[in-house]
Amino acid sequence: MITPTHYLLLSMALFTIGLAGVMTRRNIIIVFMSIELMLNAVNINLVAYSAQVQNLVGQVFAIFVIAVAAAEAAVGLGILLAFYRNKETVNIDEINLMKW
Amino acid sequence: MAEAIAFYVLAACILGFAVLVVTAKNPVHSVVFLVLDFLCVAALYVTLGAEFVAAIQVLVYAGGIVVLYLFVVMLVNVKRPPEAFRAGGRHAMLGLALAGAVLVEAAAIAVWSRLSPAAPASAAQSLPVSGNTEQVGWLLYTSYLVPFEVASMLLLVAMVGAIVLARKES
Amino acid sequence: MVELVLIPLLKIIVVLNATLLGVTYMVLLERKVIAWAQSRLGPMRVGPYGVLQPVADAMKLMLKEDITPARADKWVFTLAPILSMVPALVVYAVIPFGDQVHLFGRQISLYITDINVGLLYVVSVTSVGVYGIILAGYSSNSKWPLLASLRASAQLISYEIAITLTLVSVVLMSGTLSMVGIVTSQASQGVWYAFIQPTAFIIFFIGGLAETNRAPFDLPEAEQELTGGFHTEYSGMRFALFFLAEYANIIVVSSVATTLFLGGWLRPFPNVEFLSFLGVVPGWCWFLLKSFVFLYLFIWVRATLPRYRYDQLMRLGWKVLIPLAIANLILTAIVKVALA
């Protein structure tokens, strides 16, 4: 029997993998992708609980999360391209112009 | 039984592909794994009876967002070999430790809250339409109309912003 | 057990084999029709009038050496043809070839499944097909495939928007996303949607040409410009997979267009009593006939029209088709509300 707890654990593990990616990788595109993994982990939770309590609001919010992820990807990658044109790098450690 | 098998297989695929996304040396490989991961997540949504979200997941995530990633990877990957994007040593260890700490913390909360399942079907909504797509649509256009419009504004702003950012200044 | 596993399995086997057979003969048909358009005979040597040519082609492609370029990204190079073939085949799961039939004392529906999000499923699965092309171009480590794949993906993404918008106006008419539901709503409204949504139909057809990389939008495979396009470096069976995927996609577009706009398995003028003698022809025959008309149109267009230039292609997509599709959608919504 698969309970929401299973989905919760799956989502936790996926979130942690995404977090580890954000923390360890230096390529900003992979950092973005790890963030997408984390958003997906949240979505799994929303949809799983929506199925459990028979209330579709969870799915509605999953759709909002996907919309926000699309916006985030578009703007994030736009910034990245603009940055890449100036500095020819996608390594976050080299993105330190604003560092004091 | 079938549900359990489907869950464990999909969960294993999701986590496995996620690990590969994070660890792949070549960003293009990461993108490929990300697509496969999203497809598995969509399959998981289908097992949960959320067909509409599953279709949107494939259409928007796998068919849209990740294509964008692939484009950008191919645009910025040309000049530097993939070896230049290795994970850093000491920072990586620290990051992994932090991620592990978050996992432990979340697991601890889950355990301490006794993993009590939420109230089952009692709270079922009654919507005037049947079918997953119709019900989600009904909610989106009635109770959640304002957030829906805000989301569309957000997408519009993001679109304009992305075009302005990515445009070459002449 | 029989209902749950055996019948769907048999249907899948039949549909997949029929599709692959259709694809191989589609290639022959194309060569023949183009040959006739150019006052040639086309393939004549293998079998009477060349009818066994597809068999010979298949043998040739299977026996050829399967080369992987030395500096290619090996497993992505192998994955790319699979990624373009699988979505093209998976779509057939929701396409209704006909209504119920009696076979061996059972009621059998002539579609593999009918799901609540059918049309959305078609759109989302086909949108995954673009990865095969992009990854093929990337992994070949060669400049022509890379250029072709960039062109192809820009083209596919641009035209996908227009196509999806036309599908939305069809869904507005039918009130359901289920493919079977769309056909039955055309039956109950007594009209094919091609007649009440002509703009959407034309945009869908043009977009379908672009989505399948067909002439006049075959820039990703322009032999004269790109030495063959994104599959330049492929040979043998992996090339064959790309080839099959392209033609399978054409059949997908034709069958989706038939389902959405030409009433699927319905006979012409489904509500005219006078023509009810047409009902003796079974529904799946009508479906195949309508799809065949589409396939023929695809070939005809290829034999007739010259290739677009890249900027013309983009202008047509973004400045003509998408605004037109949006206008059509808004108009449909207004009329629908006004009539309700």
Side-chain angles (χ1 to χ4, degrees), chain C residues 219-230:
Chain C
L219 293 130
E221 310 173 1
E223 290 87 354
Q224 297 87 338
E225 300 164 30
L226 295 165
T227 69
F230 58 86

Side-chain angles (χ1 to χ4, degrees), chain A residues 6 8 23 32 43 46 69 86 88:
Chain A
H6 289 81
L8 189 64
M23 294 293 204
F32 270 142
N43 268 357
L46 285 173
N86 287 326
E88 301 251 308

Side-chain angles (χ1 to χ4, degrees), chain C residues 240-315:
Chain C
L241 278 182
F242 276 119
F243 205 64
L244 290 177
E246 182 182 332
Y247 283 87
N249 272 323
I250 296 169
I251 299 183
V252 165
V253 169
S254 309
S255 8
V256 171
T258 305
T259 309
L260 298 185
F261 293 102
L262 297 185
W265 67 79
L266 303 175
R267 66 183 168 82
F269 306 102
N271 58 342
V272 180
E273 281 300 315
F274 170 66
L275 288 171
S276 59
F277 65 90
L278 289 171
V280 295
V281 181
W284 57 272
C285 289
W286 284 118
F287 183 89
L288 293 183
L289 194 68
K290 291 170 189 172
S291 305
F292 182 80
V293 170
F294 261 98
L295 294 179
Y296 190 82
L297 261 178
F298 269 84
I299 299 169
W300 193 3
V301 166
R302 175 172 172 189
T304 312
L305 295 178
R307 183 178 301 132
Y308 264 60
R309 222 169 48 220
Y310 191 68
D311 59 318
Q312 293 171 328
L313 173 90
M314 284 295 150
R315 196 186 309 136

Side-chain angles (χ1 to χ4, degrees), chain B residues 74, chain C residues 69 72 77 80 130-153 219-222 225-234 242:
Chain B
M74 279 163 68
Chain C
F77 191 77
V130 66
Y131 287 105
I133 294 174
I134 308 183
L135 291 174
Y138 162 80
S139 64
S140 301
N141 202 358
S142 163
K143 54 191 147 208
W144 281 303
L146 188 66
L147 285 173
S149 75
L150 285 175
R151 278 184 178 189
S153 40
L219 293 130
E221 310 173 1
E225 300 164 30
L226 295 165
T227 69
F230 58 86
H231 45 50
T232 301
E233 302 290 342
Y234 281 86
F242 276 119

Side-chain angles (χ1 to χ4, degrees), chain B residues 26 29 32 62 66-67 71 133, chain C residues 73 79 116-117 131 138 153 157:
Chain B
N26 185 341
H29 295 179
V32 176
V66 185
V67 175
F71 255 117
T133 315
Chain C
D73 194 331
L79 186 71
N116 181 264
V117 288
Y131 287 105
Y138 162 80
S153 40
I157 292 168

